[in-house]
Each structure stands twice: as C-alpha cells, then as structure tokens.
Amino acid sequence: MSYRRTYDERPRPARRVPVWVVLILLLAVLLILSNGITFYTDYLWYRSVGFSNVFLISLTTRLGVFFGAAIPFVMIFLGNMLLARYLSTRQPLYRGQTRALDAPIWGWLIGIGALFLGVLVGLAAAPRWLDFQRFFHQVPFGVADPLFGLDVAFFVFSLPVYQFLQGWLITVLLLTLLGVGLLYFVAQLPHLRDGTASILPHVRLHISALGAALFVAIAWGHNLAAYDLVYSPRGVAFGASYTDVHVELVALRVMFWIALLIALMLLANVYLRRLWWPIIGAAAWMIIALFTLTILPGIVQRYVVEPSELALEAPYIAHNIASTRQAYGLDRIEERNFERIAPLTAELLSEHQATLQNVRLWDYRPLSETYRQIQEIRPYYRFKDLDVDRYYINGDYRQVIIAARELDQSRLQSPTWVNQHLQFTHGYGVVMNPVNEVLPEGLPPLWIRDLPPIITVPITLTRPEIYFGELTDNYVFVNTGIEEFDYPRGEENVYTTYQEESGILLDSYFKRLAWSLRLADINVLLSNYITPQSRLLINRQIHERVKLVAPFLRYDADPYIVIWNGRLYWIHDAYTVTDRYPYSEPVSEEINYIRNSVKVVTDAYNGTMTFYIVDDDPLVRTYAAIFPGLFTPGETMPEGLRAHLRYPEGLFNVQAAMYRTYHMGDVNVFYNKEDLWNIPRELFAEREQLVEPYYVTLQLPGGMREEFMLILPYTPANKDNLIAWIAGRCDDPYYGRLVVYRFPKQELIFGPRQIEARIDQVPEISAQLTLWGQRGSRVIRGNLLVIPLGYSLLYVEPLYLQAEQGQIPELKRVIVASGDRIVMSETLERALVELVGKGPSIAERSPVEAGTQFVESGGEEETLKQQVYELARQADAHYSAAQSALQRSDWARYGEEMAAVERLIKQLVTLTQPPLTPTSTPTP
C-alpha cells in the first residue's frame, strides 16, 4: 500500500535577520560615511591652500604602513593558528572523546581574531608613517657619533625604524605563541578530563620553532639597544659613560650571542624534542640579563667609577660638550672679549644717537593695557599680543611696537549664527608706536591708530583686514548674500565684501552637505545667504593652520605681524627638532637638537602660507624630499619681508639656557661647574623675575652700523654682577648669528639686581616712589635694560604710574645708570644729560618733555624749527585722538585730548612770539 506525502501549502515566514547583524552593518555604514566625509572635506581644504600633495602623501603613507604592518601579521598569525588546528585534529581519540577544535566555530574565531588583531597592529603602526618617510628620504648630517663612528643620520632616521620593526616582530611572535598555545591547550581538554593529556611531538616542534624565532628577534633587540647607549643619562654628562661603554655595551653584546645560542638550542629542539630546553634557555637568559644589565653596571658605577669619576669620565664629558654645542648651534657662536669698561661720556652718547633714539621705554605689559583702553575701540576687538619690530621712517632706522587689532567673536554682545559666521568675519588694522617717544600725559604717540587707520608716518596700508590671525578660531563664509561688517564709524558701521578667491568654493549642494555634516552645522545647508559664489574660510587660527600643513615642525609661540607692500603678513618661526642626536643634552623630553630652519609667512587677508627655508639643515632637507613643493628657498623671500626677520625668542631662550653651562669647553672646568652662568633677575611691578631677552637697536663694539638684535645678559652662578652678554643678530648679512661678549673678570660690572638695589637706596627716588604710593597710585617698574654703548654700559628702567581707580599706566619717569651714578628724570634725554654731567649739543624733540631722541644742533633757528614741528605734530595727534573719542562718545577722553591741543597751541604761540625790542625816543 502506498502513501502520498503531503506538504503544507501555506507560505513559510521569511527568515529574520538577527538584530546584531543589522547593528554591525549600520555601524559599518556610519564609519565609512564619517571617514569618507572627513577625507573629502580635508582634501578640499588642502587643495584650497595649495598643499594637496602634503595631504595625499601623508594619507597614502599612513595606509601603506597600516597594511604593511597588518597584512604580514595576519599571514603569520593566521598561518600558525591554522597549522596548530590542523595538527591538533590529527591527534587520536579514545572511546567517548571528541575533538574540541573540530567545531566550525573555531575556524570563524581564528579568522576573525586574526583580522581583529591585524587591524589593531596596523592602527598602532600607522602613526609611525613619518619615521618611514624620513628613513627612505634621509639626508646625511656629515657628522659621526663619537662611539660607533656612524653618521648622526643613522640615529635620527634609521634607528627608530629598526627599533619599530624589532618591536613589531616581537609583538607578532608573542601573540602567535599565545594563540598557538591556547589552541594546543584546548585540543588537550578531552585528555585532561580522563588523565591522558601529554605534550605531543608536533606541539614541541611548533613551539620550539616559534621560540627560536622569538629569541632571534630578542638578539636583534640587544644589538639595537647598544646604539641607545648614546642617550644614557647614567654618567655625569648625558650620553654613553664609562660604565655604559665598558660594562653595559659589553653585556649587550654578550646577551646578543646568548640569545642567538638559545635560538639555536630551540631549533635543535625541533629534532631533539626536549621539553625542558625552551624553559631552561628562557630562564638562563633572564638571569644573565638581570645580572649583566642591571646589577653589574650599578656595582661598577658605584665602586669603580665614582671614586675616580673625573679621570674615567673625561673623554665622555668631552663627547657630550662637543655634541651638545653642535646640536644647539652653540659651536657657531662668535666669542669676543669686552676689552675694557669705558666711562659713559657726552661724546659717546653723540656717537650712538641711533641707539638712543631706539631705547625701548615702553614695556609690552603696561603698554598692552594702554592699547586695550585707547585703541580697542569696540568690545569685540582685542589685541592678542604686542611685538617689537623695526621700520625705516624718513630714512631713520626706528624700532617700534606693533599690535594687530583682531576680532574676538566671544565678545559679541548678542551672538547669532549670522553675525558669527557671515557678518563679523575679520579684524581690522594695527596700532604702532615708536619705542622711545612719550606724550606729555605719559602716553605713547601712535604712528598708526584708529579705524580706519590713521597713519602719520610714510607707511602704506591698503589692505588692513585680518581674516587670519591668532584669535580667528571660528569658520566664516564670505561672498554671501549679506555684506560683512568691516569697521565702525561713529554711530554707523562700514560694510564690505571679500575681494579674493581664497577659501573653499561652495559651488555645489554636495559640498554644502559635506561641510554641514563635517561642521555639525545644519545652517550651512539651510541658509539662504550661502550661494554658489560663497566661500568657506576655515582653520583660520594661524598656529593651527600651519600645523595642519606641516605638523612635523615645531612653532614659536610668538608670531608677529608685519606691514609690507600695503598688506599685513604674519611671520611665524618654525623649528626642526629631534631627540635623537647622540650625546646631546636634552632641553626637554622631546628635544636635544633644534634649528630655526623655516620662516612661515601667512597673508592676513587671504591666508596664503609660504614656508621659506632659511637654515638648510639635514632635517628640513629630508622633509623637502618627502614633500616636494612644500618649501620655498629662502633666497626668493621678498626683501621687504626679509628686512623684518627676527632672531626667534624661543630658539634664543633655549640656546641661552644651554650656553650657561656649555660655554665651558674645558673638561675639568665643566665637571666642577667652576664657571657656571645664570640668567639674572630683575624687579617688574614689585615682583622679582628672570630677565627676559629683549630686542634692541645698537652698534656692536667694533661694528660699522646699528643693528636690530635680541640680547640677554649673564651673571655668574650665585652672584649678581654681570659676566657676559649674548646677542642674536637679526639684520642681513649677519642674520642668524650669535655673538657673546665676555666682560673682564677683574672688574665689577653691576647686574640688574644690583642696579635695582642701588636705585632703592637713592633718597630722591625712594622718596618719590613712596609719595606716589601714599597717594593711592600704583608704581610699575618696567624692564631694566642693559644697553651696551661701545665699551660702556647704560642701564635704563622706565617707571609707570597707574591711578588707583585708573586703568591706563602712564610713563612718568626714566631711571638711567652707568658706573656708580644713578639719575631719575622726566625724560630719557634729560636723565642722560644729568648722568654725564654735560650733554652733547642736543635739541629735544619736544620742549614739553615728550621726546628722547638726540639730534645734532644746527643753530638756534634749526632748533626752533624742530620744536615747532614737534609741537604741531603732537597737536595733530591729540586732535585726531579727540575726534576718535568723539566718534565712540567717549566725552571724558574727548575733553582731555582737546585740553592737550589747547595747551600745545599756547606753547606754539609762546615759542614763535618775536622778542620785544625797545622803542628809540628822539632827543628833544
């Protein structure tokens, strides 16, 4: 009898996809979308600034290193794991036993685990992309290290890559050993339950082979560790010491051969298959390493080296001195002797008029408060920093202080998306004053001031807008459907439209969508003000902007603004650094070599960046080979910009700090620190602090003309008298050179603290300071400047007075000193006349004590013309300031300025009034 099989005709329900699968797919899509948007928008920005090749080289190298580390890892790890599983499945079973590794899930776990670990290894390796680029494009230093005789480039470029590869290999073998061991353990689980477990021959063979490879990698590590001895901190000086060379270096070479011997033992064990050989070998290696690399060096250092340290360490101290001087450029310093200390005379003052007219009476700290009060104009403007520079004014080389008036969007009174991103887009103009001039009320005369800029000197500024600066940390859109705020004018505002084609053109909906997602700002997509002609200006903060293009450079903390060719430019000092220079004393954990190799010039209007090479060191040449087109030869820098290059203060501070010790070239003197120098201390605003380097304009002893330079005095350790001073020269053809003048040791040269103490002991000065303090005013003592004039020294300290309820410090007195004389007066010029007893033939720039420049007297008529000109110039300045105050409804300020105008006009009338002559009466 047959039966027909029947089936249910109802449709089967569709199989549901597990929730975890859906979540994984969504996560993958989100990651791809997020990374894709980041890649696309980054590429648009790099292309807009002209450095798309930097972005592409960085990206492709990162990917190359990622896959170069991940793929070999997966191949080695996965191959060994599959081999271990295959060998384990050949193990015989007894009745009732099953193979744990036969389950299909183990194949999935091994594959997924290998891929996951491979991704982790690749991600860990990718940040090292620059090491590989430097390795393949390295440029020799031309200097050999004193221990191994290898070029310094080996330690800077090659050794980090070798150490990375050795570490990668150790990681691969260790993870593989752990994985393989886990599989063999799982394979033995059925035998562990019934007591039949054993280590089979194929397990011993596999483990021994991997162990041998691991010890070959360890031997390579011992070989590389020998080169790291040039960075040893053990001895009296940085670098390989006596113990490092005679004990640890020998121990590392012994450990190298021991590790290779253990590797051979393990390879032999592939055939001998002894269980205890790997264990004995590993234990022996650990014990020998502990004794030879830790215990023995400590014993030798304590009981052999320390009792005879100078004799044994002398050659290694010499290596440290030479290498440190090379690494920081101290070997380039020109050392000169200050042959004698000549008394300061009127004739000497006449010879150094250019220096005296550039003596910096305005300290940047009180002056910044003055700028804030009188020139910020509106609450949303801010001066981030004040910088010292120099310009030719009517043929005279004049030192000035200049500051950029930037827009600080955090100060907007009612911030909205429109005014933050479309309207208030840029700062406007700069403020400039000469460093040595003072108005009658104790304020600086401003050569460039107000909005729009009023310029009283022959400097042209046709593009004063600042779209890129130190405070521009927000993205903005230009060429939109709404005009941008330009600057305030009285009760109204002036508006403008961006005039250049920089930035990212938003000419498609897709670009707007991408940037809307990248910025997490839906308004980018929805705003009707943004048109196909609109441009996005992003990454406008100049510190971050240059770091995005060249993150491998270190940047000075103080970029400064320059006026050239009618435009504003930021000049940023960039350094090439490394911590891999052999035997060089580190100044920090990351730096034991530094060069100011690059000057970055950024246009404040369109953000264009140019990276000029000004010091052709091996590191910057290597980077230039890695990134073609990134750098521009320094010789092509326009002369107008080159005239404003400064010796960077950051580099100068590092070099000055290192030179305190490393001016000592004699090993015995260095070991005993017999001639250690210090940076002197001074009083500022009644607080003691280290003297900061300061820019001056002076003529070096024996020099032909005045130069702009950065100088700093030195004192002996634990003493306050001067011992030397160091100068970084800024003007061509001597730009970038350091010179040190040593004072004669047989003479006492007062240091800043000693001068400060002597000032406090002058009764007239002390009484005046006390009187001001009793009246509720705050006395601010400015920087004490030590200014060399030929072979004489002039000390200058300005005094500022700030009313108890006032916020504007006013320069009220100038203290000068030379030799054993100290004088305080209302102006620098009068103080100098009193200091030398009689002055050279001079005519004050202002008969109302506003000037400080010495000029040659050309007779009474010439003097009268100069006085009339100065009074008229000041009256004009006060009148302009009054008009500015009137525009911003500052009636108190307006009254003060007009009163000053009236006072100056009266002085003009008095000065130009002809003398009365007696009338002759005829005799009757």
Side-chain angles (χ1 to χ4, degrees):
M1 187 174 180
S2 63
Y3 297 93
R4 173 177 288 182
R5 195 171 184 180
T6 61
Y7 297 92
D8 192 350
E9 300 293 334
R10 291 175 298 178
R12 295 179 179 179
R15 294 185 62 183
R16 297 179 63 183
V17 179
V19 174
W20 65 271
V21 173
V22 174
L23 292 176
I24 290 176
L25 290 175
L26 284 175
L27 181 62
V29 170
L30 289 175
L31 286 174
I32 292 172
L33 180 63
S34 174
N35 288 319
I37 290 172
T38 300
F39 167 79
Y40 176 65
T41 51
D42 280 347
Y43 176 73
L44 288 178
W45 183 80
Y46 279 95
R47 187 178 66 177
S48 72
V49 297
F51 295 114
S52 58
N53 65 319
V54 174
F55 172 72
L56 294 175
I57 290 171
S58 170
L59 178 66
T60 54
T61 309
R62 287 175 190 269
L63 291 173
V65 173
F66 173 84
F67 288 111
I71 291 176
F73 173 86
V74 171
M75 293 174 63
I76 295 171
F77 183 84
L78 185 60
N80 277 276
M81 294 291 284
L82 294 176
L83 176 62
R85 187 187 183 208
Y86 170 75
L87 293 174
S88 297
T89 57
R90 296 178 59 195
Q91 182 177 355
L93 296 175
Y94 298 98
R95 181 175 298 177
Q97 293 180 337
T98 59
R99 295 188 180 93
L101 296 179
D102 281 348
I105 190 63
W106 281 101
W108 284 99
L109 288 175
I110 291 171
I112 293 174
L115 289 175
F116 177 73
L117 291 176
V119 170
L120 292 182
V121 170
L123 290 175
R128 303 293 296 271
W129 67 274
L130 193 57
D131 288 342
F132 286 90
Q133 284 284 10
R134 286 190 291 229
F135 175 79
F136 290 113
H137 295 89
Q138 61 182 278
V139 173
F141 276 69
V143 178
D145 86 283
L147 184 58
F148 300 101
L150 299 173
D151 191 275
V152 170
F154 169 81
F155 297 90
V156 175
F157 302 125
S158 300
L159 186 57
V161 173
Y162 296 151
Q163 290 173 331
F164 168 79
L165 293 175
Q166 189 265 345
W168 175 86
L169 187 57
I170 291 286
T171 301
V172 171
L173 294 172
L174 278 176
L175 290 176
T176 303
L177 265 173
L178 290 173
V180 166
L182 175 64
L183 286 184
Y184 285 134
F185 175 77
V186 172
Q188 285 293 315
L189 285 177
H191 301 277
L192 288 171
R193 296 190 187 100
D194 55 17
T196 60
S198 62
I199 300 178
L200 299 176
H202 66 268
V203 176
R204 296 176 183 174
L205 185 151
H206 197 176
I207 297 295
S208 295
L210 288 174
L214 179 62
F215 271 93
V216 169
I218 290 173
W220 187 22
H222 289 316
N223 183 60
L224 295 177
Y227 297 112
D228 265 340
L229 291 178
V230 296
Y231 311 116
S232 171
R234 173 181 283 123
V236 68
F238 188 81
S241 63
Y242 178 89
T243 301
D244 295 315
V245 174
H246 292 85
V247 178
E248 190 160 351
L249 181 58
V250 174
L252 286 169
R253 288 171 176 167
V254 170
M255 292 303 301
F256 169 80
W257 291 108
I258 289 176
L260 286 182
L261 180 61
I262 294 173
L264 291 174
M265 289 174 56
L266 291 171
L267 285 176
N269 197 48
V270 170
Y271 301 98
L272 299 177
R273 299 177 182 178
R274 299 283 191 271
L275 173 63
W276 296 106
W277 280 36
I279 299 175
I280 293 173
W285 172 78
M286 292 177 64
I287 293 171
I288 296 172
L290 177 65
F291 177 74
T292 59
L293 297 178
T294 304
I295 299 174
L296 184 59
I299 293 173
V300 172
Q301 181 71 24
R302 174 62 185 88
Y303 297 103
V304 176
V305 175
E306 288 187 12
S308 307
E309 191 171 53
L310 178 57
L312 296 179
E313 297 282 20
Y316 309 106
I317 295 174
H319 297 333
N320 170 263
I321 294 172
S323 296
T324 301
R325 290 172 65 90
Q326 292 167 359
Y328 294 98
L330 306 183
D331 57 334
R332 307 177 183 179
I333 293 179
E334 181 183 358
E335 297 186 354
R336 303 176 183 177
N337 290 323
F338 216 74
E339 299 174 356
R340 63 191 183 279
I341 299 297
L344 190 66
T345 63
E347 291 74 19
L348 193 61
L349 295 179
S350 294
E351 293 172 7
H352 292 83
Q353 293 177 29
T355 299
L356 295 173
Q357 75 173 1
N358 287 296
V359 172
R360 182 168 60 84
L361 298 180
W362 288 105
D363 189 287
Y364 69 91
R365 284 158 291 200
L367 184 61
S368 63
E369 181 64 24
T370 301
Y371 273 22
R372 188 178 73 83
Q373 291 294 324
I374 68 176
Q375 280 296 306
E376 283 188 352
I377 311 296
R378 291 288 189 272
Y380 41 76
Y381 286 126
R382 181 178 160 200
F383 296 104
K384 170 67 166 58
D385 193 18
L386 278 65
D387 296 301
V388 180
D389 202 357
R390 70 282 196 198
Y391 289 78
Y392 275 99
I393 305 297
N394 295 321
D396 293 330
Y397 199 47
R398 299 301 302 273
Q399 191 170 320
V400 302
I401 295 177
I402 184 172
R405 186 187 290 106
E406 297 194 57
L407 183 72
D408 186 353
Q409 291 192 345
S410 66
R411 295 183 174 186
L412 290 176
Q413 297 300 307
S414 80
T416 65
W417 188 87
V418 171
N419 63 30
Q420 285 183 313
H421 297 287
L422 305 182
Q423 285 191 306
F424 287 82
T425 56
H426 58 274
Y428 203 89
V430 296
V431 177
M432 177 190 291
N433 72 279
V435 296
N436 69 310
E437 294 187 16
V438 189
L439 292 175
E441 59 271 28
L443 298 179
L446 302 180
W447 284 354
I448 302 178
R449 66 183 190 276
D450 297 342
L451 295 172
I454 297 174
I455 304 176
T456 60
V457 290
I459 293 177
T460 302
L461 181 57
T462 57
R463 183 59 74 189
E465 299 90 344
I466 302 174
Y467 282 85
F468 300 84
E470 295 185 87
L471 297 176
T472 48
D473 54 1
N474 196 12
Y475 59 90
V476 297
F477 300 90
V478 296
N479 294 338
T480 63
I482 187 172
E483 288 187 315
E484 303 167 47
F485 167 78
D486 203 20
Y487 61 88
R489 184 170 57 189
E491 297 298 324
E492 300 178 352
N493 292 330
V494 177
Y495 293 89
T496 188
T497 301
Y498 195 68
Q499 299 297 315
E500 298 193 15
E501 296 183 355
S502 60
I504 301 162
L505 183 64
L506 301 178
D507 56 351
S508 70
Y509 186 83
F510 181 74
K511 285 183 180 180
R512 290 179 63 176
L513 175 63
W515 280 108
S516 178
L517 293 172
R518 176 66 184 271
L519 300 172
D521 187 349
I522 191 63
N523 290 321
V524 177
L525 201 60
L526 301 179
S527 176
N528 293 326
Y529 291 122
I530 299 178
T531 69
Q533 290 74 41
S534 299
R535 293 178 177 271
L536 170 63
L537 303 183
I538 195 171
N539 300 322
R540 299 189 300 139
Q541 209 275 349
I542 57 174
H543 292 276
E544 299 303 322
R545 189 175 180 84
V546 295
K547 287 179 183 177
L548 286 171
V549 175
F552 42 83
L553 300 175
R554 296 294 181 89
Y555 295 92
D556 196 272
D558 184 26
Y560 57 100
I561 200 159
V562 166
I563 304 173
W564 174 70
N565 203 23
R567 300 175 72 100
L568 296 174
Y569 295 89
W570 295 98
I571 297 182
H572 214 147
D573 289 285
Y575 308 116
T576 47
V577 302
T578 182
D579 61 348
R580 307 292 300 176
Y581 201 95
Y583 272 101
S584 175
E585 182 75 27
V587 72
S588 69
E589 291 184 359
E590 300 178 344
I591 299 175
N592 76 344
Y593 169 95
I594 185 169
R595 290 289 187 276
N596 177 213
S597 300
V598 178
K599 303 282 188 180
V600 188
V601 177
T602 304
D603 190 309
Y605 187 80
N606 59 32
T608 301
M609 294 170 284
T610 308
F611 293 74
Y612 290 102
I613 296 178
V614 293
D615 188 343
D616 201 24
D617 86 312
L619 276 169
V620 78
R621 283 156 52 199
T622 298
Y623 292 134
I626 296 172
F627 303 103
L630 171 59
F631 297 103
T632 302
E635 298 78 21
T636 64
M637 181 184 289
E639 285 299 320
L641 287 176
R642 192 171 187 86
H644 292 282
L645 296 186
R646 307 189 312 186
Y647 202 101
E649 197 169 336
L651 174 63
F652 187 82
N653 279 324
V654 170
Q655 292 175 315
M658 298 304 297
Y659 197 71
R660 293 171 48 246
T661 303
Y662 285 92
H663 70 275
M664 296 180 283
D666 183 88
V667 171
N668 288 340
V669 175
F670 183 93
Y671 175 80
N672 293 300
K673 300 295 186 289
E674 298 176 24
D675 194 20
L676 184 65
W677 294 352
N678 276 340
I679 295 172
R681 304 186 72 84
E682 65 169 352
L683 283 177
F684 174 79
E686 305 307 321
R687 293 194 305 268
E688 192 171 80
Q689 64 178 28
L690 290 176
V691 172
E692 297 178 353
Y694 46 92
Y695 290 99
V696 296
T697 301
L698 58 85
Q699 180 178 329
L700 292 175
M704 301 299 295
R705 62 179 180 85
E706 279 71 22
E707 302 176 43
F708 186 69
M709 61 186 67
L710 183 63
I711 72 171
L712 182 69
Y714 285 114
T715 61
N718 302 318
K719 293 185 178 180
D720 293 330
N721 59 288
L722 293 184
I723 190 68
W725 57 278
I726 184 172
R729 306 171 78 172
C730 302
D731 292 342
D732 283 336
Y734 307 109
Y735 173 80
R737 298 186 187 180
L738 287 173
V739 59
V740 169
Y741 282 87
R742 294 173 179 259
F743 293 115
K745 292 186 177 181
Q746 67 274 13
E747 294 189 45
L748 174 63
I749 315 297
F750 291 121
R753 285 184 70 178
Q754 293 171 322
I755 294 294
E756 297 277 12
R758 295 184 62 220
I759 289 173
D760 291 336
Q761 294 170 4
V762 177
E764 294 81 2
I765 298 177
S766 178
Q768 183 65 68
L769 299 181
T770 302
L771 179 61
W772 280 331
Q774 290 174 348
R775 292 178 177 177
S777 297
R778 179 188 176 212
V779 179
I780 302 173
R781 298 173 73 155
N783 283 129
L784 178 65
L785 306 181
V786 184
I787 303 173
L789 296 177
Y791 287 101
S792 295
L793 290 179
L794 173 66
Y795 303 84
V796 179
E797 181 178 70
L799 291 181
Y800 308 92
L801 197 62
Q802 187 171 8
E804 186 176 6
Q805 302 300 325
Q807 298 186 21
I808 302 180
E810 299 176 358
L811 199 157
K812 288 300 184 183
R813 296 290 187 272
V814 179
I815 301 174
V816 296
S818 184
D820 58 356
R821 297 203 62 196
I822 297 176
V823 172
M824 181 175 74
S825 188
E826 293 83 358
T827 66
L828 174 63
E829 184 166 69
R830 292 194 174 186
L832 290 175
V833 171
E834 295 179 32
L835 184 69
V836 298
K838 59 175 183 177
S841 182
I842 58 175
E844 294 182 349
R845 293 178 56 108
S846 167
V848 289
E849 304 172 0
T852 55
Q853 180 185 13
F854 279 73
V855 296
E856 294 293 338
S857 175
E860 293 182 2
E861 183 178 351
E862 184 63 29
T863 300
L864 179 62
K865 289 180 180 179
Q866 292 175 1
Q867 293 174 346
V868 169
Y869 169 77
E870 182 62 27
L871 286 169
R873 186 189 67 79
Q874 291 186 36
D876 177 67
H878 282 291
Y879 181 76
S880 298
Q883 295 305 306
S884 213
L886 183 62
Q887 291 177 3
R888 59 179 185 268
S889 301
D890 187 350
W891 303 109
R893 188 68 182 172
Y894 175 77
E896 294 174 2
E897 296 294 343
M898 289 306 296
V901 171
E902 181 181 359
R903 183 174 63 252
L904 290 168
I905 291 174
K906 289 180 179 179
Q907 292 178 4
L908 268 173
V909 172
T910 302
L911 187 65
T912 57
Q913 183 177 3
L916 296 175
T917 56
T919 305
S920 58
T921 304
T923 304

